[in-house]
Amino acid sequence: MTESVRTALRSLVHGRVDRHDRRVRGFAESEWRRYEDLLAGALLVAARRRFAPGADQAAVIRFVASARERYDVTGLDVDPTVAEALIRAALGECPAPPDDAATLTARTLLLLGLLEDEGMTTAELDDLLTDAWTTAEGEPTAGSPDGTAGCRSGGGGKFGVSR
């Protein structure tokens, strides 16, 4: 994984959004794929810290609503069905939705919400990123083309498998 990809996500989780934005603007296609993998790995690690597999669906819905309220200024940027499917995929309950702009946005805002709720220290954030890098290095770069947003069981997709 290239250092610029790691640095971009590190900047995001540490609240240096301008630095993050500058980095990702210069990404080549291969760097975007690796960034998506790293972001998916970070969401997987953070979601599993917050929710246990089989978590009450209402808790996931409440979290998604809270994250959308905090970070989705227009109320239109994050599809709640996609966001809920991403959390459930991270818990190994269903495949992740296919990678597209809506999924990337939802992953980013969900990760920020999970990290803010945790109130992690700099060292804890760095540990989470290390775990995310390990997770991302072991996964393929393509999203699940057959991911289903309303799934209740199954597994597979980008990091939608039990580890």
Side-chain angles (χ1 to χ4, degrees):
M1 184 170 306
T2 66
E3 190 59 32
S4 64
V5 171
R6 289 181 182 207
T7 301
L9 190 59
R10 184 180 298 118
S11 296
L12 179 69
V13 303
H14 286 289
R16 297 185 299 264
V17 178
D18 289 342
R19 185 180 294 175
H20 166 267
D21 291 350
R22 280 192 307 275
R23 287 251 184 218
V24 298
R25 272 189 224 116
F27 280 177
E29 182 64 29
S30 62
E31 290 172 309
W32 270 113
R33 284 193 304 272
R34 295 308 300 158
Y35 181 79
E36 289 171 351
D37 287 347
L38 182 54
L39 183 63
L43 180 62
L44 180 140
V45 173
R48 288 184 178 183
R49 287 181 181 206
R50 170 78 176 262
F51 301 102
D56 178 36
Q57 185 62 19
V60 172
I61 291 169
R62 281 191 299 274
F63 167 71
V64 167
S66 170
R68 290 181 71 223
E69 181 177 52
R70 289 179 280 173
Y71 302 112
D72 186 358
V73 178
T74 67
L76 303 172
D77 293 333
V78 177
D79 179 339
T81 305
V82 170
E84 291 165 20
L86 285 168
I87 296 292
R88 295 180 52 228
L91 300 177
E93 297 173 4
C94 66
D99 285 334
D100 59 19
T103 302
L104 179 65
T105 300
R107 270 194 185 113
T108 302
L109 298 183
L110 291 172
L111 178 61
L112 292 174
L114 288 165
L115 297 178
E116 181 181 339
D117 289 355
E118 285 288 315
M120 301 172 84
T121 66
T122 299
E124 290 169 329
L125 287 170
D126 288 340
D127 288 345
L128 181 135
L129 288 173
T130 298
D131 292 345
W133 294 329
T134 301
T135 299
E137 289 296 329
E139 294 293 337
T141 58
S144 170
D146 62 346
T148 54
C151 57
R152 293 223 177 266
S153 63
K158 183 176 281 185
F159 306 174
V161 295
S162 298
R163 285 192 165 291

